[in-house]
Amino acid sequence: MNKNTVVSFQDREQNSDPLNALLRTGARKLIEQAIEAELQELLSHYAGQQTDSGHAAVVRNGYLPERAIQTGIGPVTVKIPKVRSRTGEPITFRSALVPPYIRKSRSLRKLPRQVDSSKVEILAFSRASMGVIPPRLS
């Protein structure tokens, strides 16, 4: 009884409609702008600090590897910037919008509980309807 009913969604990006692609692109740009604003706030906090040679003590240092976050409109890829301290003081940029290790949006993290409650409702309906709906004849 090895009946596999799982449908694979390979090449999901290619099969999506243009509206979803537009929404994902817009979401990515909006997230990038919000993260950039958070980073500028952090850099402005350290703007007054300088090294002995007169350079800024805290500077940008590239990006972390791109990662996808599952949202209600599909996966959205984000890049989180990194910072570096030239003084040796450990400084790490942590976005409040996209915390480290997050892979799903909050709405999707709540989804399994909603699905479980739907299963309970379906099960309750099927048990209640057993006496009302006659079983199928073979």
Side-chain angles (χ1 to χ4, degrees):
M1 185 145 210
N2 291 333
K3 191 175 190 181
N4 188 358
T5 59
V6 176
V7 177
S8 176
F9 287 115
Q10 294 175 352
D11 301 326
R12 180 178 176 164
E13 298 293 324
Q14 294 175 357
N15 294 332
S16 66
D17 60 48
L19 180 59
N20 277 341
L22 178 67
L23 290 172
R24 277 197 299 275
T25 302
R28 189 187 83 244
K29 288 180 181 178
L30 187 63
I31 291 170
E32 285 176 0
Q33 290 174 354
I35 291 172
E36 188 66 32
E38 287 180 330
L39 178 66
Q40 290 305 320
E41 183 179 334
L42 175 77
L43 292 176
S44 68
H45 183 275
Y46 290 101
Q49 295 183 6
Q50 293 184 346
T51 62
D52 295 336
S53 61
H55 294 93
V58 179
V59 294
R60 296 177 68 118
N61 189 27
Y63 290 92
L64 293 171
E66 234 180 40
R67 68 179 197 233
I69 297 176
Q70 290 296 327
T71 66
I73 58 173
V76 176
T77 57
V78 294
K79 291 190 316 184
I80 308 296
K82 296 189 299 184
V83 294
R84 177 173 66 92
S85 172
R86 292 179 173 171
T87 61
E89 176 188 349
I91 295 177
T92 305
F93 171 66
R94 301 248 190 252
S95 171
L97 181 65
V98 185
Y101 308 111
I102 189 170
R103 297 291 180 241
K104 291 182 184 177
S105 65
R106 285 190 181 124
S107 61
L108 289 181
R109 283 185 273 167
K110 294 177 184 178
L111 189 63
R113 284 185 236 135
Q114 294 171 351
V115 170
D116 288 341
S117 64
S118 298
K119 288 179 184 176
V120 170
E121 291 171 9
I122 291 170
L123 184 61
F125 173 76
S126 64
R127 286 184 181 159
S129 66
M130 286 183 122
V132 178
I133 301 172
R136 254 190 341 188
L137 298 174
S138 308

